[in-house]
Amino acid sequence: MTTAGGVKDAQPMILADRVCKNFGALQVLKGVSLEIGRGEVLCVIGPSGSGKSTFLRCINHLEEVNAGRLYVDGELVGYQEKNGKLYELHPREAARQRREIGMVFQHFNLFPHRTVLENVIEAPTQVKKVPKATAVAKAQELLDRVGLAEKANAYPAQLSGGQQQRVAIARALAMDPKLMLFDEPTSALDPELVGEVLEVMRELAQSGMTMVVVTHEMGFAREVADKLVFMDGGVIIEAGAPRELLANPKHERTQAFLSRLL
């Protein structure tokens, strides 16, 4: 997928080709295909159970796909292909791929017994073997970036939900990911704390980070996303430019969903 000169940036950052995922007899993803270019922000909306979070988890191989192909930066995710057959990667190799993809969850998943700074330096020092002094300097920069420089020595229980989620974003960025995934990052927050997290995500998008965001924040999707996808029943029902799709949804299922939100 590289060009003749070896340049990668002509290819999409994410290429999903007819991705299917089953949990037992339940088909959760039924052939999802889409492309996300470098530096683009994709927002995914849809009702609960539509497959949004499962698709996100397939991108970094937290869930195995049952059929189809998923590529990140031109590399097949979770598998290698030989003679048209897929073979699952060794867990160590899958982990190597995963560490290049940052993920922020609905619940913050911070280590409660570690300070904010210790949470942020944990993965770089343990997984990437970054020297501690280097990791600390980077962590301090990131905490400043998310507006929490003064909370470096606090523990998660001493922070608001919005502050904890901003620490989770800093922690993901500490691994220098080429792609960031957000799984409903504001849905567990009190309404007055949502804005501070969205502001950090907005700044991240402006810096050129490729992002996939599962969200119910339609204002954020309208302002920040380059593409908007509506999923329901494990398929993409409608996709397009956010302002156009939100103002003039074509499919009746999209119309019904948005009518309850907007």
Side-chain angles (χ1 to χ4, degrees), residues 127-170:
V127 178
K128 282 187 151 183
K129 307 303 180 188
V130 173
K132 186 175 179 181
T134 304
V136 167
K138 175 77 179 285
Q140 288 170 332
E141 283 178 27
L142 289 169
L143 289 172
D144 186 51
R145 183 176 179 182
V146 300
L148 291 172
E150 78 287 356
K151 298 291 187 182
N153 295 315
Y155 287 88
Q158 298 170 307
L159 305 180
S160 70
Q163 289 171 330
Q164 289 188 60
Q165 194 61 294
R166 285 186 279 153
V167 173
I169 293 171

Side-chain angles (χ1 to χ4, degrees), residues 154-256:
Y155 287 88
Q158 298 170 307
L159 305 180
S160 70
Q163 289 171 330
Q164 289 188 60
Q165 194 61 294
R166 285 186 279 153
V167 173
I169 293 171
R171 179 182 58 181
L173 292 174
M175 291 292 281
D176 289 319
K178 55 190 173 187
L179 167 65
M180 285 286 286
L181 309 177
F182 293 87
D183 189 5
E184 299 196 28
T186 60
S187 64
L189 299 179
D190 292 334
E192 67 269 21
L193 302 177
V194 168
E196 65 191 54
V197 174
L198 294 181
E199 188 54 43
V200 170
M201 293 169 62
R202 191 175 285 111
E203 185 273 327
L204 194 56
Q206 289 167 350
S207 75
M209 176 64 74
T210 311
M211 295 164 56
V212 184
V213 184
V214 172
T215 187
H216 292 296
E217 300 294 336
M218 298 302 153
F220 177 85
R222 185 186 293 108
E223 295 166 35
V224 179
D226 299 292
K227 295 178 181 174
L228 183 63
V229 162
F230 172 66
M231 286 184 70
D232 193 14
V235 298
I236 293 174
I237 301 293
E238 195 165 346
R243 290 178 185 275
E244 175 62 24
L245 195 153
L246 290 172
N248 300 297
K250 302 288 188 291
H251 197 286
E252 62 183 25
R253 284 159 85 182
T254 318
Q255 293 166 5

Side-chain angles (χ1 to χ4, degrees), residues 8-257:
K8 279 181 161 185
D9 48 353
Q11 71 191 12
M13 178 60 82
I14 299 174
L15 176 62
D17 179 21
R18 295 166 293 178
V19 172
C20 296
K21 173 63 185 175
N22 308 327
F23 292 106
L26 179 65
Q27 260 194 305
V28 179
L29 299 176
K30 304 172 184 175
V32 172
S33 297
L34 57 78
E35 282 189 24
I36 303 161
R38 290 167 192 281
E40 284 191 332
V41 178
L42 171 76
C43 280
V44 185
I45 62 173
S48 296
S50 58
K52 310 182 300 295
S53 295
T54 298
F55 177 64
L56 210 63
R57 292 170 67 84
C58 287
I59 293 174
N60 66 355
H61 202 55
L62 288 175
E63 298 289 354
E64 302 168 16
V65 302
N66 295 108
R69 305 282 191 277
L70 251 173
Y71 299 89
V72 170
D73 202 16
E75 189 175 13
L76 186 62
V77 173
Y79 299 89
Q80 57 182 349
E81 189 167 357
K82 290 181 181 176
N83 301 320
K85 287 188 175 181
L86 293 184
Y87 298 89
E88 190 163 7
L89 292 178
H90 186 279
R92 189 182 301 118
E93 189 63 18
R96 178 197 63 77
Q97 288 185 335
R98 195 177 292 123
R99 74 188 191 193
E100 297 188 304
I101 303 172
M103 187 155 184
V104 177
F105 298 88
Q106 182 175 346
H107 300 286
F108 326 119
N109 298 343
L110 300 176
F111 295 116
H113 60 292
R114 298 189 188 279
T115 66
V116 164
L117 185 69
E118 288 167 344
N119 267 280
V120 177
I121 69 170
E122 175 79 9
T125 55
Q126 297 301 313
V127 178
K128 282 187 151 183
K129 307 303 180 188
V130 173
K132 186 175 179 181
T134 304
V136 167
K138 175 77 179 285
Q140 288 170 332
E141 283 178 27
L142 289 169
L143 289 172
D144 186 51
R145 183 176 179 182
V146 300
L148 291 172
E150 78 287 356
K151 298 291 187 182
N153 295 315
Y155 287 88
Q158 298 170 307
L159 305 180
S160 70
Q163 289 171 330
Q164 289 188 60
Q165 194 61 294
R166 285 186 279 153
V167 173
I169 293 171
R171 179 182 58 181
L173 292 174
M175 291 292 281
D176 289 319
K178 55 190 173 187
L179 167 65
M180 285 286 286
L181 309 177
F182 293 87
D183 189 5
E184 299 196 28
T186 60
S187 64
L189 299 179
D190 292 334
E192 67 269 21
L193 302 177
V194 168
E196 65 191 54
V197 174
L198 294 181
E199 188 54 43
V200 170
M201 293 169 62
R202 191 175 285 111
E203 185 273 327
L204 194 56
Q206 289 167 350
S207 75
M209 176 64 74
T210 311
M211 295 164 56
V212 184
V213 184
V214 172
T215 187
H216 292 296
E217 300 294 336
M218 298 302 153
F220 177 85
R222 185 186 293 108
E223 295 166 35
V224 179
D226 299 292
K227 295 178 181 174
L228 183 63
V229 162
F230 172 66
M231 286 184 70
D232 193 14
V235 298
I236 293 174
I237 301 293
E238 195 165 346
R243 290 178 185 275
E244 175 62 24
L245 195 153
L246 290 172
N248 300 297
K250 302 288 188 291
H251 197 286
E252 62 183 25
R253 284 159 85 182
T254 318
Q255 293 166 5
F257 176 77

